[in-house]
């Protein structure tokens, strides 16, 4: 090589780093939604690994971007993804601002419930609904389940006052609906009517609802569906303490709620903490006035630490729940219909001679001697280990302790009638295999071990028992062109046992007590020893056909499985809080369901249309019915309390949910949202139906046709410090329910009613354009309508066959004005 050429070659080598560096630039800008900055949204250069997120003011900055032309993709949950073309020039800072529109479509949202891996909502054939924290904030309520009922068609709740709501999905509830907290199954004494969901409503950031059998991934107790409540974790910058403070007040029952959440991020570690307190006195309606013994006082604590590494992540979290909930019994003066209170024990109590409750007691925040106390402690860990080639291992462990005491002795206020302690160990292991021929598959093993023990109580509705549950499953999914196919199979095995359980007199207090061997001379055997193994095979198969990006058709068939719960097979005694004596049946078989689902989803430019139809056949369906004698009179084992005996037969439930949301692009401030949910439950015991002249035709606890409409106006501009302003008006209507389980007056017809609600919200910012407060105002039951929900247990709390004003039972809550303020920092 000539000497001149060598010199030029050496110079080019020396200058190459300078040339390479000179061919890099940067990209920065601000992302907004309307006129508001969009915090912590994703910014990515399509086809590259370059990307980042916006900060809390909507700004982003991508450094060292090779010069060239790119498609920049802005995305965030709840917004239409934005794509912009941009040219990045060498040694220059290119500016690109973006603006995203809110979207009602959630098809591209990633869900974790009911599947083995994170899955886009659009590709999952099982009906799943998602509620965000924003939606739950706007559906202000006394508890988290009532907020979900407002937002998800097909979900209802059996209620016992404002703070106790048990979820029902498509007419099925109790142990058929599996409640999860951050993916860990919630285990308390959930078999009882008055046993609510032991979860902090202010700490939930997202709720995912599976409508239909989810036994494939969860096993028993997911026959009707799953509600997974995922904790709220504020996004934040490194080494910056973030948080929020919530203040909530309701006028009807004087509920005061306050909650403080904190989060901190330091490199790979994230931490979160929340403390919540709630208190309320008795609620009010226009028929009953203040309903005695419906107040409550609740405290919650939660904390979490998580580390994310290249190998995966590890998370440990803990929660503490403590609730004192009063127990109403519905006793009144027969003429004035004023509420009365029990002051003597049941053996000497005269229902017609109880003292009337004073106005001061009705509006007092003090918890009365007759109440239940529920304490729930939980610690759990989630872990993921990446193995390469898209494979990973997930491992979760959880420990829970549920303590429930129900105080029903007015002369001995510190003596609980019911006192049970339930300890649960949850485990869940899963291996996500590498994709083979485009098939993603997972193998899993999960279950629990439980030990339930009665303590120093006087009533014993269930025995002490031990339970071991284990299930193994295989789940797979594959995409073929426009078709997504997923499904799998599962085998479950549940062992349950208890020893002889004796009950005898307690000379110290005059009631009964648990008597242990060998000192059982004066005791009776209330629960003879029992041991059984329940087994079941479940599975599902479904397809999603992507007609286009905005049009989808879904079909799924699933076999569900549920082992009988402890009260259905083992109960034999009074549950003081429910005022019911339960009688179980040891010969019950597991429930098996076969459900078909069809769905059509259209997210069009101006309209969202969702239609979901289902047909569910259940073998060995278990339900409770009032027990009567040969003359048709109610059987009374404990005075003042009803007696229910569990029954088993086949059943069929079918129905549909329809959603029509109108959001015209030319009128961006307008949204008109509508939904309709319908379910019918048919008893398959033809002999009983014939013998009862049709009174037993329908299943109990079936909600009537539910229609919901919402008109919402969202202002598109900011007005000084006020932004994100919206106004809304709602109609919540239930038709008359004439299809009920009428045998032995277990249920009665429920008149239809329509409730009208209004609400408004605003975000207040400071001069630095930083949110200072989010404020929500809502008026529920605007016209103070007197009504009884078909699923309101208090409807049946009545001591008399007639009343002077013609109203029997207790009515639902009347007009309620709620004020909620969230202060982020």
């Amino acid at each position: 090589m000539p000497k001149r050429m060598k010199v030029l070659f050496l110079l080019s080598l020396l200058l190459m780093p300078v040339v390479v560096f000179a061919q890099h630039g940067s990209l920065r800008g601000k992302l907004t939604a309307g006129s508001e900055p969009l915090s912590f949204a994703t910014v990515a250069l399509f086809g590259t690994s370059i990307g980042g997120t916006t900060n809390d003011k909507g700004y982003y900055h991508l450094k060292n971007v090779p010069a060239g032309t790119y498609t920049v993709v802005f995305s965030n949950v709840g917004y239409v993804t934005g794509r912009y073309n941009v040219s990045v020039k060498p040694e220059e800072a290119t500016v690109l601002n973006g603006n995203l529109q809110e979207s009602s479509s959630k098809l591209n949202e990633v869900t974790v419930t009911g599947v083995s891996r994170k899955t886009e909502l659009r590709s999952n054939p099982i009906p799943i609904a998602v509620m965000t924290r924003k939606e739950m904030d706007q559906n202000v309520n006394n508890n988290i389940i009532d907020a979900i009922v407002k937002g998800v068609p097909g979900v209802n709740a059996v209620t016992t006052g404002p703070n106790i709501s048990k979820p029902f999905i498509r007419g099925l509830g109790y142990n058929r609906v599996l409640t999860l907290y951050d993916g860990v199954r919630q285990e308390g004494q959930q078999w009882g009517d008055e046993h609510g969901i032991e979860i902090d409503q202010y700490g939930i950031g997202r709720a995912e609802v599976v409508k239909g059998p989810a036994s494939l991934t969860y096993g028993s107790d997911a026959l009707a569906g799953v509600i997974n409540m995922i904790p709220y974790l504020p996004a934040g910058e490194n080494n910056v303490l973030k948080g929020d403070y919530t203040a909530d007040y309701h006028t009807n029952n004087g509920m005061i709620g306050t909650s403080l959440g904190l989060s901190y991020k330091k490199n790979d570690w994230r931490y979160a903490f929340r403390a919540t307190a709630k208190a309320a006195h008795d609620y009010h309606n226009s028929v009953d006035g203040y309903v005695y013994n419906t107040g409550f006082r609740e405290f919650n604590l939660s904390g979490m630490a998580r580390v994310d590494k290249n190998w995966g992540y590890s998370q440990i979290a803990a929660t503490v729940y403590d609730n004192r909930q009063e127990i109403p019994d519905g006793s009144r003066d027969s003429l004035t219909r004023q509420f009365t209170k029990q002051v003597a024990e049941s053996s000497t109590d005269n229902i017609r001679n109880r003292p009337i409750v004073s106005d001061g007691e009705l509006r007092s925040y003090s918890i009365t001697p007759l109440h239940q106390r529920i304490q729930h402690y939980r610690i759990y860990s989630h872990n993921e280990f990446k193995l390469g080639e898209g494979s990973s291992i997930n491992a979760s462990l959880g420990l829970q302790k549920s303590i429930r005491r129900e105080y029903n002795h007015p002369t001995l206020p510190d003596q609980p009638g019911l006192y049970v302690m339930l300890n649960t160990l949850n485990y869940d292991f899963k291996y996500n295999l590498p994709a083979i021929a485009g098939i993603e598959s997972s193998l899993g093993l999960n279950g629990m071990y439980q030990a339930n023990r009665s303590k120093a109580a006087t009533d014993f509705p269930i025995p002490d028992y031990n339970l071991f549950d284990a299930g193994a499953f295989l789940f797979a999914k594959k995409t073929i062109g426009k078709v997504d196919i997923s499904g799998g199979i599962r085998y479950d095995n549940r062992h349950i046992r208890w020893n002889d359980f004796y009950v005898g007199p307690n000379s110290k207090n005059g009631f009964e007590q648990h008597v242990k061997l060998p000192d059982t001379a004066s005791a009776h055997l209330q629960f003879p020893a029992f041991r059984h193994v329940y087994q079941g095979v479940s599975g599902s198969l479904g397809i999603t056909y992507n007609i286009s990006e905005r049009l989808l058709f879904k079909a799924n068939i699933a076999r569900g499985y549920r082992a009988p719960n402890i009260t259905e097979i083992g109960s034999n005694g009074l549950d003081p809080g429910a005022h019911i004596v339960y009688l179980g049946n040891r010969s019950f078989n597991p429930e098996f369901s076969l459900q078909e689902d069809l769905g059509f989803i259209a997210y069009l430019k101006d309209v969202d249309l969702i239609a979901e139809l289902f047909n569910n056949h259940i073998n060995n369906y278990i339900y409770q019915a009032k027990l009567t004698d040969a003359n048709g009179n109610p059987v009374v084992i404990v005075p003042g309390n009803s007696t229910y005996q569990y029954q088993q037969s086949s059943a069929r439930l079918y129905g549909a949910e329809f959603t029509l949301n109108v959001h015209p692009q030319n009128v961006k401030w307008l949204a008109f949202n509508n939904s309709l949910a319908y379910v019918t439950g048919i008893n398959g015991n033809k002999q009983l139906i014939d013998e009862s002249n049709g009174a037993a035709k329908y299943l109990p606890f079936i909600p009537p046709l539910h229609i919901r409409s919402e008109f919402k106006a969202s202002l598109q501009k900011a007005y000084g410090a006020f932004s994100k302003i919206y106004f809304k008006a709602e109609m919540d209507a239930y038709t008359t329910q004439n299809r009920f389980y009428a045998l032995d007056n277990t249920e009665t017809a429920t008149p239809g009613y329509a409730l009208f609600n209004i609400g408004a919200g605003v975000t207040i910012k400071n001069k630095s354009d930083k949110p200072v407060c989010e404020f929500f105002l809502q008026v529920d039951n605007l016209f103070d309508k007197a009504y009884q929900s078909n699923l309101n247990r208090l409807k049946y709390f009545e001591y008399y066959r007639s009343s002077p004003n013609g109203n029997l039972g207790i009515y639902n809550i009347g007009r309620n004005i709620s004020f909620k303020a969230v202060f982020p920092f």
Side-chain angles (χ1 to χ4, degrees):
M1 181 182 293
K3 186 175 181 180
R4 182 179 297 176
M5 293 294 292
K6 290 181 178 180
V7 172
L8 290 174
F9 179 71
L10 290 172
L11 284 173
S12 67
L13 289 176
L14 292 171
L15 291 173
M16 186 174 292
V18 178
V19 173
V20 171
F21 178 79
Q23 290 182 354
H24 283 68
S26 64
L27 184 65
R28 61 183 176 85
K30 184 178 183 180
L31 185 62
T32 56
S35 62
E36 302 300 316
L38 198 54
S39 306
F40 309 110
T42 300
V43 184
L45 302 187
F46 182 76
T48 76
S49 60
I50 301 172
T53 58
T54 61
N55 63 17
D56 59 345
K57 296 182 180 179
Y59 290 102
Y60 72 95
H61 191 185
L62 305 181
K63 300 177 181 179
N64 296 324
V65 179
T69 300
Y70 298 94
T71 297
V72 182
V73 180
F74 297 111
S75 61
N76 200 29
V77 173
Y79 295 87
V80 178
T81 299
R83 291 176 171 83
Y84 297 81
N85 294 323
V86 66
S87 294
V88 176
K89 297 179 181 180
E91 294 188 280
E92 289 189 15
T94 304
V95 177
L96 175 67
N97 298 323
N99 187 270
L100 301 186
Q101 293 182 352
E102 286 196 55
S103 171
S104 58
S105 171
K106 297 180 180 178
L107 291 178
N108 296 323
E109 285 199 33
V110 174
T111 60
V112 297
T113 309
V115 291
S116 62
R117 307 188 194 203
K118 293 180 179 180
T119 303
E120 281 192 352
L121 196 60
R122 67 178 306 117
S123 64
N124 196 336
I126 300 172
I128 297 183
V130 175
M131 280 196 75
T132 64
R133 180 178 175 87
K134 176 182 176 181
E135 292 169 321
M136 288 185 281
D137 276 337
Q138 293 181 7
N139 291 331
V140 182
N141 274 284
N142 281 277
N143 64 76
I144 187 67
I145 295 300
D146 284 351
I148 294 173
V149 167
K150 279 189 173 184
V152 181
V155 179
N156 297 89
V158 166
T159 62
T160 312
N163 201 41
I164 301 179
S165 295
K166 296 182 70 67
F168 268 53
I169 298 177
R170 293 175 167 178
L172 297 173
Y174 295 99
N175 282 72
R176 299 182 184 92
V177 175
L178 181 59
T179 303
L180 308 177
Y181 178 83
D182 201 11
V184 178
R185 61 186 295 152
Q186 178 84 5
E187 286 298 320
Q189 304 286 353
Q190 60 260 39
W191 47 266
D193 284 307
E194 80 289 3
H195 302 170
I197 302 299
E198 297 142 3
I199 289 175
D200 180 4
Q201 71 179 89
Y202 300 115
I204 302 303
R206 177 183 175 90
E208 297 181 356
V209 181
V210 178
K211 295 189 288 186
S215 300
L216 172 60
T217 48
Y218 298 108
S220 182
D221 302 346
L223 190 82
V226 176
I227 297 180
N228 187 9
M229 284 169 274
I230 302 169
Y232 173 62
L233 181 61
E237 299 174 274
N238 205 34
N239 297 320
V240 177
L241 182 68
K242 302 286 289 185
D244 65 84
Y245 173 74
T246 300
D248 198 2
Y249 177 71
H250 295 199
T251 60
N252 186 286
N253 60 349
M255 195 201 85
I256 302 170
T258 181
S259 181
L260 174 66
L262 300 173
S263 68
Y264 184 74
K265 182 177 183 292
K266 184 174 179 63
N267 301 324
D268 298 327
W269 284 88
R270 285 192 291 169
Y271 308 90
F273 170 81
R274 180 168 293 276
T276 293
K278 290 165 53 180
H281 58 64
D282 297 331
Y283 79 84
H284 179 274
N285 64 57
S286 60
V287 171
D288 302 307
Y290 285 95
V291 178
Y292 180 58
N293 250 29
T294 55
F296 56 88
R297 187 181 298 166
E298 179 183 312
F299 300 95
N300 293 276
L301 292 173
S302 63
M304 183 275 290
R306 172 177 169 136
V307 60
D308 289 88
K309 296 288 187 179
N310 293 331
W311 51 260
Y313 72 86
S314 183
Q315 171 185 320
I316 187 168
T319 66
V320 175
Y321 173 95
D322 193 335
N323 179 25
R324 287 176 170 84
Q325 177 76 51
E326 293 179 338
I327 304 174
D329 69 358
S331 70
R332 310 171 187 253
D333 179 78
S334 61
L335 297 178
T336 65
R337 297 289 288 173
Q338 291 178 283
F339 285 100
T340 58
K341 60 181 179 180
Q342 182 182 354
V343 294
E345 298 298 336
S346 57
S347 58
T348 59
D349 180 37
N350 182 355
I351 185 65
R352 298 181 183 275
N353 196 32
R354 290 182 175 181
I356 292 175
V357 182
S358 68
D359 288 341
E361 290 174 293
L362 293 169
R363 303 190 190 191
S364 172
Y365 285 91
S366 299
I367 300 299
T368 65
L370 301 180
H371 69 277
Q372 58 179 324
R373 184 180 185 187
I374 309 100
Q375 294 165 286
H376 191 277
Y377 306 92
R378 170 183 20 231
I379 183 170
Y380 65 94
S381 176
H382 292 316
N383 305 274
E384 181 180 75
F385 306 96
K386 298 178 181 178
L387 304 178
E389 299 182 357
S391 64
S392 62
I393 292 177
N394 293 88
S396 296
L397 287 173
L399 285 170
Q400 299 178 65
K401 179 186 287 290
S402 174
I403 304 171
R404 178 175 296 273
R405 282 166 284 191
E406 297 181 357
Y407 297 92
N408 64 325
H409 294 297
T411 61
L412 295 173
D414 295 328
Q415 172 62 59
L418 177 71
Y419 189 173
V420 286
M421 183 180 296
L422 179 68
N423 292 308
T424 304
L425 168 67
N426 303 97
Y427 63 92
D428 189 349
F429 304 101
K430 185 170 54 185
Y431 173 42
N432 298 310
L433 286 75
I436 302 173
I439 301 175
E440 294 183 356
S441 56
S442 301
L443 287 168
L445 175 70
N446 54 28
M448 62 181 174
Y449 173 76
Q450 283 189 337
N452 184 78
R453 297 294 180 264
S454 293
K455 298 299 180 180
T458 63
D459 297 294
F460 305 93
I462 59 173
D464 292 351
Y465 69 90
N466 290 75
L467 180 151
F468 180 72
D469 192 45
F473 68 88
L474 169 65
F475 182 90
K477 62 180 181 179
K478 180 179 175 60
T479 298
I480 306 174
K482 293 185 175 183
V483 178
D484 299 303
I485 304 173
S486 63
I489 191 168
R490 179 187 178 100
Y491 170 73
D492 274 287
N493 190 289
R494 172 170 289 185
H495 295 247
I496 187 168
R497 65 177 178 85
W498 62 79
N499 299 321
D500 287 340
F501 188 104
Y502 290 87
V503 174
N506 185 337
S507 58
K508 294 181 180 179
N509 58 26
F511 298 105
E512 290 190 316
Q513 64 179 339
H514 178 202
V515 178
K516 298 182 180 180
L517 292 169
D519 187 19
T520 59
S522 60
H524 64 275
L525 181 60
Q526 186 154 337
F527 303 103
F530 179 79
R531 184 184 299 265
H532 197 80
V533 177
Y534 298 97
Q535 303 175 71
V537 176
S538 54
S540 70
L541 179 64
I543 64 167
T544 297
Y545 177 53
N546 298 270
I547 303 170
S548 69
E549 182 70 19
R550 292 176 171 269
L551 298 175
L552 290 87
F553 173 78
K554 297 188 177 189
N556 192 74
I557 184 169
R559 186 180 199 240
Y561 153 82
R562 185 181 77 92
N565 66 31
I566 182 61
T567 186
E568 292 167 344
I569 56 174
S571 59
N572 181 29
L574 172 68
D575 177 7
H579 304 292
I580 292 175
V581 174
Y582 291 105
L583 301 178
N585 190 320
R586 295 169 171 234
S587 65
F588 280 163
N589 295 314
E591 294 181 341
F592 290 98
S593 71
L594 185 64
Q595 179 164 317
E596 304 91 20
D597 285 280
L598 292 175
F600 175 76
I601 301 174
Y603 281 106
L604 306 178
K605 180 181 178 182
D606 297 320
V607 175
D608 303 335
L609 177 62
I610 304 174
E612 296 174 332
L613 293 83
F614 66 92
N615 183 42
N616 190 6
H617 291 270
I618 303 178
N619 292 326
N620 308 320
Y621 177 80
I622 300 172
Y623 63 98
Q624 53 181 267
K626 273 189 178 180
L627 185 64
T628 58
D629 58 23
N631 298 320
N633 297 315
V635 171
V636 177
I637 297 176
V638 179
N641 298 271
S642 301
T643 303
Y644 282 77
Q645 188 170 46
Y646 285 97
Q647 313 289 332
Q648 189 165 53
S649 71
S650 61
R652 181 192 175 200
L653 296 99
Y654 60 90
E657 294 105 36
F658 298 98
T659 300
L660 175 64
N661 297 334
V662 181
H663 44 81
Q665 293 298 301
N666 294 331
V667 191
K668 293 183 179 180
W669 57 268
L670 171 66
F672 184 44
N673 303 321
N674 305 271
S675 66
L676 180 150
Y678 172 77
V679 58
T680 288
I682 304 295
N683 192 339
N685 190 336
K686 295 183 179 179
Q687 180 179 347
L688 182 63
I689 294 172
D690 293 339
E691 291 175 354
S692 65
N693 295 319
K697 179 179 179 180
Y698 299 104
L699 300 178
F701 292 114
I702 300 297
L705 175 69
H706 181 198
I707 302 170
R708 183 172 175 81
S709 292
E710 177 194 75
F711 177 90
K712 186 176 182 180
S714 302
L715 304 189
Q716 301 298 295
K717 297 181 179 180
Y719 296 87
F722 303 99
S723 62
K724 297 184 181 179
I725 302 170
Y726 74 85
F727 302 93
K728 66 176 182 177
E730 304 168 343
M731 182 199 71
D732 216 5
Y734 288 86
T735 61
T736 299
Q737 181 56 294
N738 288 319
R739 299 182 173 186
F740 57 92
Y741 189 81
L743 183 60
D744 300 323
N745 289 317
T746 297
E747 288 186 309
T748 58
T750 306
Y753 56 90
L755 305 179
F756 294 90
N757 315 313
I758 58 173
V762 63
T763 297
I764 304 172
K765 296 189 174 184
N766 59 20
K767 293 181 180 180
S768 302
D769 206 33
K770 186 176 181 180
V772 175
C773 172
E774 294 177 275
F775 182 76
F776 305 93
L777 169 66
Q778 186 161 311
V779 184
D780 286 318
N781 196 357
L782 177 63
F783 301 112
D784 204 21
K785 172 74 175 179
Y787 71 99
Q788 288 176 316
S789 165
N790 180 67
L791 299 183
N792 174 18
R793 286 186 60 252
L794 300 183
K795 173 187 175 186
Y796 301 100
F797 281 29
E798 179 59 61
Y799 282 80
Y800 306 103
R801 295 185 178 181
S802 62
S803 73
N805 58 16
N807 298 312
L808 294 173
I810 298 174
Y811 281 67
N812 287 69
I813 192 168
R815 182 191 298 116
N816 181 46
I817 305 173
S818 55
F819 306 88
K820 184 176 183 180
V822 181
F823 300 89
F825 58 88

